[in-house]
Amino acid sequence: MTFFLYVLGMVFIIEGLPYLSFPLFMKSMLRKIPDMTDMQLRLYGTAIMLFGLIIIILTRYLIQN
């Protein structure tokens, strides 16, 4: 449970970084979301998830070796 809470905390930190670093860009991006099709949002979501998975795999590989 402790590990889960650490991971959850890291997710919130990472999710907040773009808003802290680039508030104007985030506002403009959030305004564009309603104009996107469901397929575009799914593709972006899939790409982000695959990027996260690649980071996890590379990190695990680099730590083990």
Side-chain angles (χ1 to χ4, degrees), residues 12-28:
F12 282 120
I13 290 170
I14 292 169
E15 285 289 325
L17 282 175
Y19 297 99
L20 175 67
S21 303
F22 312 105
L24 294 176
F25 175 74
M26 291 305 295
K27 284 181 181 180
S28 70

mmCIF file of all heavy atoms in Angstrom, residues 12-28:
data_model
loop_
_atom_site.group_PDB
_atom_site.id
_atom_site.type_symbol
_atom_site.label_atom_id
_atom_site.label_comp_id
_atom_site.label_asym_id
_atom_site.label_seq_id
_atom_site.Cartn_x
_atom_site.Cartn_y
_atom_site.Cartn_z
ATOM 1 N N PHE A 12 0.556 12.694 -9.295
ATOM 2 C CA PHE A 12 0.040 14.044 -9.078
ATOM 3 C C PHE A 12 1.116 15.103 -9.313
ATOM 4 O O PHE A 12 0.850 16.163 -9.888
ATOM 5 C CB PHE A 12 -0.545 14.201 -7.669
ATOM 6 C CG PHE A 12 -1.909 13.602 -7.527
ATOM 7 C CD1 PHE A 12 -2.138 12.598 -6.607
ATOM 8 C CD2 PHE A 12 -2.963 14.048 -8.299
ATOM 9 C CE1 PHE A 12 -3.395 12.045 -6.464
ATOM 10 C CE2 PHE A 12 -4.233 13.509 -8.169
ATOM 11 C CZ PHE A 12 -4.455 12.495 -7.254
ATOM 12 N N ILE A 13 2.334 14.819 -8.891
ATOM 13 C CA ILE A 13 3.432 15.759 -9.119
ATOM 14 C C ILE A 13 3.678 15.931 -10.608
ATOM 15 O O ILE A 13 3.771 17.052 -11.123
ATOM 16 C CB ILE A 13 4.717 15.287 -8.396
ATOM 17 C CG1 ILE A 13 4.540 15.421 -6.886
ATOM 18 C CG2 ILE A 13 5.940 16.068 -8.885
ATOM 19 C CD1 ILE A 13 5.633 14.774 -6.077
ATOM 20 N N ILE A 14 3.750 14.825 -11.326
ATOM 21 C CA ILE A 14 4.018 14.881 -12.764
ATOM 22 C C ILE A 14 2.866 15.539 -13.517
ATOM 23 O O ILE A 14 3.085 16.312 -14.451
ATOM 24 C CB ILE A 14 4.332 13.470 -13.297
ATOM 25 C CG1 ILE A 14 5.676 13.011 -12.729
ATOM 26 C CG2 ILE A 14 4.333 13.441 -14.822
ATOM 27 C CD1 ILE A 14 5.991 11.567 -12.958
ATOM 28 N N GLU A 15 1.640 15.245 -13.101
ATOM 29 C CA GLU A 15 0.476 15.867 -13.743
ATOM 30 C C GLU A 15 0.448 17.376 -13.509
ATOM 31 O O GLU A 15 -0.032 18.124 -14.353
ATOM 32 C CB GLU A 15 -0.819 15.254 -13.207
ATOM 33 C CG GLU A 15 -1.113 13.876 -13.739
ATOM 34 C CD GLU A 15 -1.503 13.875 -15.198
ATOM 35 O OE1 GLU A 15 -2.171 14.829 -15.640
ATOM 36 O OE2 GLU A 15 -1.136 12.930 -15.893
ATOM 37 N N GLY A 16 0.952 17.834 -12.402
ATOM 38 C CA GLY A 16 0.930 19.253 -12.085
ATOM 39 C C GLY A 16 2.051 20.053 -12.726
ATOM 40 O O GLY A 16 1.945 21.273 -12.864
ATOM 41 N N LEU A 17 3.125 19.395 -13.133
ATOM 42 C CA LEU A 17 4.272 20.106 -13.698
ATOM 43 C C LEU A 17 3.943 20.950 -14.934
ATOM 44 O O LEU A 17 4.385 22.098 -15.018
ATOM 45 C CB LEU A 17 5.400 19.121 -14.022
ATOM 46 C CG LEU A 17 6.220 18.654 -12.832
ATOM 47 C CD1 LEU A 17 7.210 17.585 -13.265
ATOM 48 C CD2 LEU A 17 6.942 19.812 -12.182
ATOM 49 N N PRO A 18 3.179 20.443 -15.909
ATOM 50 C CA PRO A 18 2.882 21.297 -17.067
ATOM 51 C C PRO A 18 2.107 22.563 -16.702
ATOM 52 O O PRO A 18 2.337 23.620 -17.282
ATOM 53 C CB PRO A 18 2.047 20.402 -17.982
ATOM 54 C CG PRO A 18 2.333 19.014 -17.541
ATOM 55 C CD PRO A 18 2.671 19.095 -16.092
ATOM 56 N N TYR A 19 1.186 22.452 -15.742
ATOM 57 C CA TYR A 19 0.406 23.626 -15.330
ATOM 58 C C TYR A 19 1.291 24.646 -14.617
ATOM 59 O O TYR A 19 1.097 25.849 -14.760
ATOM 60 C CB TYR A 19 -0.752 23.206 -14.424
ATOM 61 C CG TYR A 19 -1.734 22.318 -15.121
ATOM 62 C CD1 TYR A 19 -1.696 20.937 -14.953
ATOM 63 C CD2 TYR A 19 -2.702 22.848 -15.960
ATOM 64 C CE1 TYR A 19 -2.586 20.116 -15.604
ATOM 65 C CE2 TYR A 19 -3.602 22.032 -16.618
ATOM 66 C CZ TYR A 19 -3.539 20.666 -16.435
ATOM 67 O OH TYR A 19 -4.419 19.849 -17.091
ATOM 68 N N LEU A 20 2.257 24.170 -13.858
ATOM 69 C CA LEU A 20 3.185 25.058 -13.169
ATOM 70 C C LEU A 20 4.154 25.708 -14.148
ATOM 71 O O LEU A 20 4.412 26.904 -14.081
ATOM 72 C CB LEU A 20 3.965 24.276 -12.108
ATOM 73 C CG LEU A 20 5.058 25.030 -11.365
ATOM 74 C CD1 LEU A 20 4.447 26.122 -10.495
ATOM 75 C CD2 LEU A 20 5.888 24.075 -10.528
ATOM 76 N N SER A 21 4.662 24.915 -15.089
ATOM 77 C CA SER A 21 5.705 25.391 -15.993
ATOM 78 C C SER A 21 5.177 26.178 -17.189
ATOM 79 O O SER A 21 5.816 27.130 -17.628
ATOM 80 C CB SER A 21 6.507 24.196 -16.515
ATOM 81 O OG SER A 21 7.045 23.467 -15.445
ATOM 82 N N PHE A 22 4.043 25.759 -17.742
ATOM 83 C CA PHE A 22 3.529 26.355 -18.974
ATOM 84 C C PHE A 22 2.036 26.645 -18.863
ATOM 85 O O PHE A 22 1.223 26.060 -19.582
ATOM 86 C CB PHE A 22 3.759 25.409 -20.160
ATOM 87 C CG PHE A 22 5.148 24.853 -20.242
ATOM 88 C CD1 PHE A 22 5.413 23.544 -19.891
ATOM 89 C CD2 PHE A 22 6.201 25.649 -20.670
ATOM 90 C CE1 PHE A 22 6.695 23.021 -19.969
ATOM 91 C CE2 PHE A 22 7.485 25.143 -20.754
ATOM 92 C CZ PHE A 22 7.729 23.825 -20.399
ATOM 93 N N PRO A 23 1.621 27.565 -17.981
ATOM 94 C CA PRO A 23 0.180 27.773 -17.767
ATOM 95 C C PRO A 23 -0.558 28.280 -19.012
ATOM 96 O O PRO A 23 -1.671 27.825 -19.286
ATOM 97 C CB PRO A 23 0.121 28.801 -16.641
ATOM 98 C CG PRO A 23 1.453 29.438 -16.596
ATOM 99 C CD PRO A 23 2.426 28.431 -17.125
ATOM 100 N N LEU A 24 0.032 29.166 -19.796
ATOM 101 C CA LEU A 24 -0.652 29.673 -20.990
ATOM 102 C C LEU A 24 -0.823 28.586 -22.044
ATOM 103 O O LEU A 24 -1.869 28.475 -22.684
ATOM 104 C CB LEU A 24 0.101 30.872 -21.568
ATOM 105 C CG LEU A 24 0.128 32.119 -20.683
ATOM 106 C CD1 LEU A 24 0.989 33.202 -21.311
ATOM 107 C CD2 LEU A 24 -1.280 32.618 -20.433
ATOM 108 N N PHE A 25 0.216 27.786 -22.219
ATOM 109 C CA PHE A 25 0.128 26.679 -23.173
ATOM 110 C C PHE A 25 -0.943 25.680 -22.753
ATOM 111 O O PHE A 25 -1.717 25.204 -23.588
ATOM 112 C CB PHE A 25 1.485 25.984 -23.295
ATOM 113 C CG PHE A 25 1.460 24.767 -24.173
ATOM 114 C CD1 PHE A 25 1.380 24.900 -25.543
ATOM 115 C CD2 PHE A 25 1.511 23.499 -23.614
ATOM 116 C CE1 PHE A 25 1.353 23.775 -26.360
ATOM 117 C CE2 PHE A 25 1.478 22.380 -24.418
ATOM 118 C CZ PHE A 25 1.407 22.509 -25.794
ATOM 119 N N MET A 26 -1.008 25.379 -21.469
ATOM 120 C CA MET A 26 -2.010 24.416 -20.981
ATOM 121 C C MET A 26 -3.425 24.958 -21.175
ATOM 122 O O MET A 26 -4.333 24.210 -21.532
ATOM 123 C CB MET A 26 -1.751 24.074 -19.508
ATOM 124 C CG MET A 26 -0.499 23.258 -19.286
ATOM 125 S SD MET A 26 -0.431 21.731 -20.229
ATOM 126 C CE MET A 26 -1.789 20.836 -19.519
ATOM 127 N N LYS A 27 -3.613 26.252 -20.961
ATOM 128 C CA LYS A 27 -4.934 26.839 -21.185
ATOM 129 C C LYS A 27 -5.347 26.693 -22.646
ATOM 130 O O LYS A 27 -6.485 26.331 -22.937
ATOM 131 C CB LYS A 27 -4.942 28.320 -20.796
ATOM 132 C CG LYS A 27 -4.991 28.572 -19.328
ATOM 133 C CD LYS A 27 -5.016 30.074 -19.069
ATOM 134 C CE LYS A 27 -5.041 30.397 -17.609
ATOM 135 N NZ LYS A 27 -5.059 31.847 -17.359
ATOM 136 N N SER A 28 -4.428 26.971 -23.542
ATOM 137 C CA SER A 28 -4.774 26.859 -24.960
ATOM 138 C C SER A 28 -5.030 25.407 -25.354
ATOM 139 O O SER A 28 -5.934 25.124 -26.144
ATOM 140 C CB SER A 28 -3.685 27.470 -25.836
ATOM 141 O OG SER A 28 -2.516 26.696 -25.818
#
